[in-house]
C-alpha cells in the first residue's frame, strides 16, 4: 500500500489509524532518512494505541516503553546501533516475544535479526513534490 501525505498532521493521522489496528505481538519496522517523519508517525501510532504519554525519539535509550492500557508499545530507535549483537544485550528477543507491539525506527540497521513477519513502513521525500510531501509505503498486515 502506498499513501502520500502533505503535512506532519497527515502522517500523524496515518500512524494513528495503524496504531488503532495494532495487534499484540506485531512488529512494525520504520525506515526513512533523518527527518523523514518516523517519529511523527510513531507519535500518531502511539496515540492510536491509546497512549497518552508524550512519545519522543529515544535518543539515549535504544528502547522506550509506553503503557497503552491494553498493551504496551516498545519504541526502538536503533540509529546508534553499531552491531546487531548490541540488540541482544538489551534483550531484543524478549521484547519480540512480549504481548505488546514493537516499533523500530531505522530497522534497516538490524535487518539481519528482524523477525520474518514484520510490517514494513518506508517514508521517503520527493523534493519535486514539495517540502512537506512524503510517500509512505506499507507492506504486510498485522496477523
Ligand atoms: P525522523 O524520526 O524520521 O528522523 P521526525 O519525525 O523526527 O523524523 O521529523 C520529521 C520532520 O518533518 C518534522 O519536523 C515534521 O514537522 C516535518 N514534516 C514535514 N512534512 C511532513 C510530513 N508530511 N510527514 C511527517 N513529517 C513532516
Ligand atoms: Mg526519529
Amino acid at each position: 500500500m502506498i499513501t502520500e501525505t502533505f503535512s506532519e498532521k497527515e502522517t500523524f493521522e496515518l500512524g494513528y489509524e495503524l496504531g488503532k489496528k495494532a495487534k499484540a505481538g506485531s512488529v512494525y519496522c520504520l525506515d526513512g532518512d533523518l527527518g523523514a517523519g518516523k517519529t511523527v508517525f510513531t507519535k500518531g501510532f502511539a496515540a492510536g494505541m491509546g497512549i497518552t504519554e508524550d512519545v519522543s525519539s529515544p535518543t539515549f535509550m535504544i528502547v522506550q516503553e509506553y503503557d497503552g492500557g491494553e498493551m504496551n508499545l516498545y519504541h526502538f530507535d536503533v540509529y546508534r546501533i553499531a552491531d546487531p549483537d548490541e540488540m541482544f544485550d538489551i534483550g531484543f528477543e524478549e521484547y519480540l516475544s512480549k504481548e505488546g507491539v514493537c516499533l523500530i525506527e531505522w530497522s534497516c540497521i538490524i535487518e539481519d535479526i528482524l523477525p520474518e513477519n514484520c510490517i514494513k513502513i518506508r517514508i521517503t521525500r520527493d523534493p519535486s513534490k514539495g517540502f512537506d510531501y512524503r510517500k509512505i509505503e506499507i507492506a504486510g498486515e498485522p496477523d
Side-chain angles (χ1 to χ4, degrees):
M1 186 185 93
I2 299 178
T3 305
E4 295 176 300
T5 69
F6 299 87
S7 66
E8 172 176 343
K9 184 167 174 275
E10 281 181 26
T11 299
F12 182 97
E13 280 164 1
L14 179 67
Y16 189 94
E17 288 310 313
L18 267 86
K20 264 202 320 204
K21 288 186 262 176
K23 298 223 171 74
S26 35
V27 180
Y28 289 78
C29 297
L30 261 179
D31 286 286
D33 294 340
L34 207 63
K38 300 181 293 300
T39 300
V40 167
F41 179 94
T42 304
K43 284 173 189 279
F45 190 95
M49 279 181 69
I51 292 160
T52 50
E53 220 178 311
D54 186 41
V55 172
S56 59
S57 245
T59 316
F60 300 108
M61 315 258 282
I62 294 164
V63 61
Q64 207 108 335
E65 196 168 324
Y66 298 97
D67 186 353
E70 252 176 74
M71 53 188 172
N72 288 355
L73 171 65
Y74 305 108
H75 176 207
F76 295 81
D77 188 328
V78 301
Y79 186 63
R80 281 171 188 79
I81 290 280
D83 186 312
D85 278 351
E86 288 174 42
M87 292 301 284
F88 297 112
D89 299 339
I90 62 150
F92 184 52
E93 283 170 312
E94 281 81 46
Y95 283 106
L96 291 177
S97 62
K98 283 183 185 184
E99 282 296 299
V101 177
C102 289
L103 189 152
I104 309 163
E105 291 192 41
W106 289 104
S107 78
C108 57
I109 291 169
I110 57 160
E111 198 163 23
D112 293 346
I113 60 166
L114 291 173
E116 257 173 44
N117 54 346
C118 46
I119 295 148
K120 302 256 189 190
I121 300 160
R122 167 162 293 279
I123 309 178
T124 39
R125 291 191 182 103
D126 182 345
S128 73
K129 295 190 175 173
F131 190 69
D132 292 344
Y133 170 88
R134 302 290 190 273
K135 182 171 82 175
I136 304 178
E137 295 165 278
I138 304 170
E141 292 271 327
D143 39 38

